[in-house]
Amino acid sequence: MNENVEMDQQFEFLRRLLHEDKMAEFRDIFLDWHIYEQGQFYFTLDEKERHRLYTYLSPKEIADMFDVIEEDHEDMEDYLAEMSPRYVADMLNEMYTDNAVDLLNQLDKREVAKYLSLMKSKDAIKIKELLGYEDKTAGSIMATEYVSIVDNQTVRSALNLLKKKAQEAEIIYYVYVVSETNRLLGVISLRDLIVAEDDMLISDVKEERVISVNVADDQEDVAKTIRDYDFLAVPVVDSEDRLLGIITVDDIIDVIDDEAASDYSGLAGVDVEAIAETPLKASMKRLPWLITLLFLGMSTATLISHYEVLINEASILAVFISLITGTAGNAGTQSLAVAVRRLAISDDKDPGFFKLILNEVLTGAITGSVTGIVIFAVVGFWKHNYILGFVIGVAMFCAITVANLAGSFIPMLMEKLGFDPAVASGPFITTLSDLTSVLIYFNIASLFMGFFIGT
Amino acid sequence: MNENVEMDQQFEFLRRLLHEDKMAEFRDIFLDWHIYEQGQFYFTLDEKERHRLYTYLSPKEIADMFDVIEEDHEDMEDYLAEMSPRYVADMLNEMYTDNAVDLLNQLDKREVAKYLSLMKSKDAIKIKELLGYEDKTAGSIMATEYVSIVDNQTVRSALNLLKKKAQEAEIIYYVYVVSETNRLLGVISLRDLIVAEDDMLISDVKEERVISVNVADDQEDVAKTIRDYDFLAVPVVDSEDRLLGIITVDDIIDVIDDEAASDYSGLAGVDVEAIAETPLKASMKRLPWLITLLFLGMSTATLISHYEVLINEASILAVFISLITGTAGNAGTQSLAVAVRRLAISDDKDPGFFKLILNEVLTGAITGSVTGIVIFAVVGFWKHNYILGFVIGVAMFCAITVANLAGSFIPMLMEKLGFDPAVASGPFITTLSDLTSVLIYFNIASLFMGFFIGT
């Protein structure tokens, strides 16, 4: 709290320096801040203030800031639009390639082409290559600023190389050992380099069992590798084991965050990332989903209307519709969440598919039995009608078991069909489960119709 | 896939070496693996094989492995129980303190005391201190193996110190500059040390604006700091700015994973982390929640039963109960997810509270109006009864608005009361929303009762 207040005062002071056009004093303070804080300040400025800022700072200084903040904001393209194209091109030149690519991916193709045409052709080619990788693959999030060395050199020359590369490399804590044709042969951590004698040969200190990821691997698999091995970075290779780039742990944190938010959004049937929206904008995004579910819900209503005669004869049946659909929906949501999570963390080795579904159905049968017995006793006692209790108990048992089946089967099916299983959202499962629950309930009730007439 | 098969073959080969008691060959291969792979192999062994493994490997070698795998498995205490207490104590001595503490936190107090009594008293005191920090605070996840230096030294002596400490420090990529009384004065990254001239003074190259976290800070705030600043580690200080430890990015990834899983679990009303359970065990965990919600659902049923006379007169009303409760439940779940996520990422600066609730209620009013108009038209057309359509449309509007209010208000209230807002789960909100929706629906329907009698 105090730090925030202090920071606010500093922001205020710096803004005054901007207004009074005191460039030297401004630069003194601003460049002393951590780049993340520079970014936070940047976001508080209005357009006029930002225009002055661009005259104060070099494209390199803005690039350093954009390297850290590019993930934090949705409207980065608006900021680029207000700079001169030449300034943007120079800035993109200075940014780490992975971050420059993230930024360019937010723009439309014409804009991208314009900036690329203004960049140094060597950098432009590199970035064009990276832009070509499919979204959410290792290639799309890797950077090309790594440090590599051939292995007939000494530790001393490796350290000297690091000294030279330290400014531009995204991470200097691993040096990758490559062949003449850039094939990945090994890795040395800076830790090992520091401990080793200066005259030792790289070939003697390198670790040959180097864990790498393929450029086409899914970013979630890359995240798993970095997390499991506690790496700071992992090298990215092509199918012939040639080193193409590295992925660093800070990018992986963004991947983990994004995947978690998207799983969470899926379960709730809403994009939770878009939080600073106006009610109107939020409504526009939520309505298609709500209306779709409304029509799915209409089929449940239609189904119930087929049993209107039964309800007319025994209105007591209507009392328990929402109890059965609600409880089955809750159980189905539990199954869904377990299945989605299981799919997210499972390895290829996992036999999983049928076993998970079987487990969930068995779990449904057990929880369904217990819930069914409880509701049988409660309703029997409350309404003094144990046949009604029995009907509701049996319906509850069946509805929960089917909801668990649907909750585990549907995400599995999505996965098999190549969709993200997380899009099988909670609201979809509960609305679907409403339909099956009502069907089960009234069919069972029909069998006992004779008992209900007139109750 | 291929790598997995290859790894399986290597596992098989190594297991044979264990059975044939070929220790030297076993060690040659095993110690050449990455420690994460050693851990994966370890998990495939049976108890007899593990007993032999403990005679092959030193406590230090087992400790290295446990440093990486301690987060991966729930039953680590079973593994400790089968080692001799002396071996465990030696192993704990060799582990990084944060990981040793994580491990000890899984044991009961008597076990912990036993191992601590066998450890070197200096290490035991350090670990006892760390065990004293509250769960989920910075103190509970920090390690004490950092590298620090006083600032009247040269870059050369700092590099020499790093060389010496490289083996034991958890991370050597930052050197912390401290006063005689261990107050944190600055930080130097290894990158800066490598670039700097050997004869420069530490006081001249150190970064004085060092970002630190307080030992009592919530681990989620620490995660936010590391993520925002793209740090590899962050120093932990007490209220007098004395350096107590560091938290590294790999621990933060575990924190982010855990928090995401727990938010996800909350929304679904089920612990998604416990995935390898038997159906019986899973049922035991899910039932308390299902039964609680069942009784909450019973109040909805009770409420409906108050309107049985109305249903008796106009059974058509029963047809639309589940449509209204279902749609309002879906809308409420959306609001809930947005509110929980908003609370998770908001800063203290955020005015948020009332603004978010107001936004959600407005969003509810807009989505409720559109949904209400759609259902009015559909029901009116379908049942040729526009008064019925009007009743259902208005009820839908009110039910969605109230569901959005509840979905955003309840997690906010939880947060204010000091609970984790994520425990306000989706199933709870939908079940609660069933109750309010039914209340709204039948009250509105009662007003129009004259129109329905006999329909």
Side-chain angles (χ1 to χ4, degrees), chain B residues 292-308:
Chain B
T292 308
L293 291 172
L294 183 73
F295 279 95
L296 184 56
M298 278 302 296
S299 39
T300 307
T302 313
L303 187 66
I304 299 176
S305 79
H306 283 304
Y307 294 100
E308 232 188 294

Side-chain angles (χ1 to χ4, degrees), chain A residues 32 34 36-37 163 166 169-170 173 191 194 209 227-229 257 269 286 301 308 315 319 334 345 360, chain B residues 32 34 36-37 163 166 169-170 173 191 194 209 227-229 257 269 275 286 301 308 319 334 360:
Chain A
D32 201 34
H34 191 284
Y36 171 71
E37 291 156 351
K163 226 175 213 182
E170 181 151 18
Y173 306 123
R191 189 190 286 249
I194 283 188
R209 291 182 59 88
R227 182 172 47 200
D228 284 345
Y229 286 90
D257 265 350
R286 294 187 202 176
E308 232 188 294
S315 56
V319 169
Q334 292 179 329
I345 64 170
E360 280 303 316
Chain B
D32 201 34
H34 191 283
Y36 170 72
E37 291 156 353
K163 224 173 210 179
E170 181 152 17
Y173 306 122
R191 190 191 284 250
I194 283 188
R209 291 182 59 89
R227 182 173 44 199
D228 284 346
Y229 286 89
D257 264 348
I275 44 171
R286 295 188 202 176
E308 232 188 294
V319 170
Q334 292 179 330
E360 280 303 316

Side-chain angles (χ1 to χ4, degrees), chain B residues 147-417:
Chain B
V147 184
S148 66
I149 194 169
V150 286
D151 71 351
N152 55 2
Q153 306 208 32
T154 61
V155 165
R156 183 181 297 109
S157 55
L159 279 172
N160 281 333
L161 178 74
L162 270 185
K163 224 173 210 179
K164 245 175 38 203
K165 293 263 184 132
Q167 293 300 348
E168 62 185 67
E170 181 152 17
I171 202 163
I172 60 161
Y173 306 122
Y174 299 109
V175 176
Y176 298 101
V177 184
V178 293
S179 73
E180 305 288 335
T181 56
N182 208 34
R183 284 194 43 183
L184 183 62
L185 301 177
V187 63
I188 313 174
S189 71
L190 180 49
R191 190 191 284 250
D192 292 336
L193 274 181
I194 283 188
V195 174
E197 297 299 321
D198 278 4
D199 293 325
M200 288 179 81
L201 275 177
I202 294 298
S203 51
D204 293 333
V205 291
K206 75 163 187 275
E207 169 65 53
E208 281 173 31
R209 291 182 59 89
V210 47
I211 310 287
S212 60
V213 297
N214 187 279
V215 67
D217 281 354
D218 189 283
Q219 61 178 7
E220 277 193 81
D221 296 333
V222 181
K224 191 171 165 1
T225 301
I226 288 201
R227 182 173 44 199
D228 284 346
Y229 286 89
D230 287 356
F231 284 150
L232 299 179
V234 68
V236 182
V237 296
D238 65 13
S239 52
E240 264 132 58
D241 235 15
R242 277 184 302 241
L243 182 59
L244 299 176
I246 55 167
I247 295 172
T248 51
V249 66
D250 58 298
D251 295 321
I252 286 310
I253 289 186
D254 295 334
V255 169
I256 293 174
D257 264 348
D258 286 352
E259 299 283 353
S262 115
D263 283 359
Y264 193 76
S265 297
L267 194 61
V270 63
D271 176 11
V272 293
E273 290 286 60
I275 44 171
E277 288 176 333
T278 62
L280 189 66
K281 238 175 147 180
S283 301
M284 288 302 137
K285 284 200 185 158
R286 295 188 202 176
L287 271 170
W289 194 214
L290 282 176
I291 300 283
T292 308
L293 291 172
L294 183 73
F295 279 95
L296 184 56
M298 278 302 296
S299 39
T300 307
T302 313
L303 187 66
I304 299 176
S305 79
H306 283 304
Y307 294 100
E308 232 188 294
V309 178
L310 189 60
I311 296 172
N312 233 331
E313 305 274 349
S315 57
I316 186 80
L317 288 177
V319 170
F320 295 98
I321 296 176
S322 73
L323 185 67
I324 292 176
T325 58
T327 308
N330 292 340
T333 305
Q334 292 179 330
S335 282
L336 171 71
V338 168
V340 168
R341 178 80 187 172
R342 171 72 172 259
L343 285 169
I345 64 169
S346 81
D347 301 331
D348 285 350
K349 281 193 277 185
D350 223 297
F353 198 91
F354 287 108
K355 181 144 181 269
L356 173 59
I357 293 180
L358 184 68
N359 266 353
E360 280 303 316
V361 172
L362 283 176
T363 305
I366 297 172
T367 53
S369 306
V370 176
T371 313
I373 290 168
V374 169
I375 199 68
F376 160 73
V378 170
V379 171
F381 184 77
W382 176 33
K383 296 282 172 190
H384 305 291
N385 185 340
Y386 286 93
I387 293 174
L388 176 68
F390 181 75
V391 166
I392 292 170
V394 172
M396 190 71 97
F397 165 79
C398 297
I400 288 179
T401 308
V402 170
N404 275 29
L405 173 65
S408 53
F409 179 72
I410 289 175
M412 289 287 183
L413 186 70
M414 295 267 191
E415 172 93 355
K416 287 275 159 193
L417 295 177

